[in-house]
Amino acid sequence: MTAALLTDTPCDVAADRAPHRAELPRVVGADLSVPVVDGSRVRYCDLDSAASAPALEAVAAHVAEVLPYHGSVHRGAGWTSRVCTALVEDARADVARFVRARADDVVVFTRNTTDALGLLARAVPGPVVTLDLEHHATLLAWRHTEHRVVRAGRTLAATLDALRTELTERPDAALVAVTGASNVTGELLPIPEIVRIAHAAGARVCVDAAQLAPHRRVDLAGWGADYVALSGHKLYAPYGIGALVGRRDWLDTAEPHLAGGGAVGSVAVDGDRTRTEWLPAPQRHEGGTPNVLGSAALGAACRELDPLIDEDVPAHERALLRRLRAGLATVPGLRVLSVFDDPAGSGDRTATVSFTLGELPAGLVAAALSAEHGIGVRDGRFCAHPLLERLTGGDAVRASLGLRSTASDVDRLVHALDRIARREPGWTYAIVDGRWAPTPDPRPLDGPGSGRPGAARGCGH
Ligand code: PMP
């Protein structure tokens, strides 16, 4: 039934042909098969790239190429140290180019976006303003500075007005931190406009690009934004790396984020204290042995995606998103979530869609998608509790598409949701260890890990 409905939708033929698909880089694990509860195996349908994306094949190949040379950075005279130092510094340049940094911006490698924002929080010299729709990484980073939260309105226009009012009435804000794309709805925030509003009030802007960078061009210089934070594992380089890129002055004078070896020019003991001469950024914040493989992976991902991120990646994802939204509109009781009602807010967005399905618990829907259909989605509140409270008063299901996604993945999701919505589950479910799970669960855990999959952590719920 769902398949018949889908062939009636106008967008699917174009999406099936996926005109840009052939040019897109391949990801590792694209042919992964997973067990389902009827005892068979199906190709894994990964619709959770907003949480974490697979590695590009080119990234994994580059890491394999680098591994024999793995060595210390900035510290050794040995050949591998020289190679690795060059790799890390080249990767810095690749990241800077990818986000269109200015010549005097600095790239600091971090663990991820959360870590990058934590670093900026040490550097910011005054109050920080955020919207309440943010991911917890952007909402919670500013525990050691004054932090003001502006409530987003039902429309984007009302939200920008509220931001303008806050910044005008209390003109001492040093920084506005805002997401480039919502991790819940995929809606894009108008960064150049936010930059104009913030700069007019004397505040800088940090863009949380965790969700934007894999899908749209981050244009630090073009936007006039001051900082950008991103995560390698969402950018097809899942090797424990992230970056903060932006203006040097605050970063050069801030307390070191990771104090230790490599962050100092000299250390002496003076009486019963250490006397240190901290290096400028980025070294100042990168104490300890750096993540060489992560930097190399992120640099490689940036090089691969740079020629594709302006047109090919968005075209691929827009076609799939049209197909997905048309399909979801046919599922009884399914409600797609949006932050904003106005046309600006419902315009371009990444292919991340959150929804509720009638009164069905989101966790049950996600468990059935995995157990019966081999489809991976996220359920919960997506580390954006205030936004989910407003949109649903509870949990939702999120499907997020990326380079790995195909039209057939979209159709599988829509077909599976249609069955679940019509109460045609092929299995029984119960809450086990706080999460919905198939009971019994006959699927062998045959991946490389051992033991049962861990219970979900609190953040998604
Ligand atoms: N910001 C947004 C918008 C995100 O979606 C995420 C990850 N879900 C983060 C920040 C945090 O990223 P990470 O977990 O890699 O630090």
Side-chain angles (χ1 to χ4, degrees), residues 49 72 90 134 198 208 220 243 299 305 311 314 316 347 365 383 394 409 441:
S49 62
S72 67
D90 286 354
E134 299 294 343
D208 167 355
L220 207 42
L305 292 174
E311 289 176 16
H316 168 69
V365 174
C383 301
D409 290 340
D441 189 348

Side-chain angles (χ1 to χ4, degrees), residues 38 60 155 318 363:
D38 70 4
T155 65
R318 279 189 194 114

Side-chain angles (χ1 to χ4, degrees), residues 50-51 112-115 135 137-138 179 181 183 208 210-211 231 233-234:
N112 48 35
T113 301
T114 305
D115 195 30
H135 185 279
T138 291
T179 191
N183 67 310
D208 167 355
Q211 295 295 336
S231 295
H233 71 97
K234 297 186 197 283

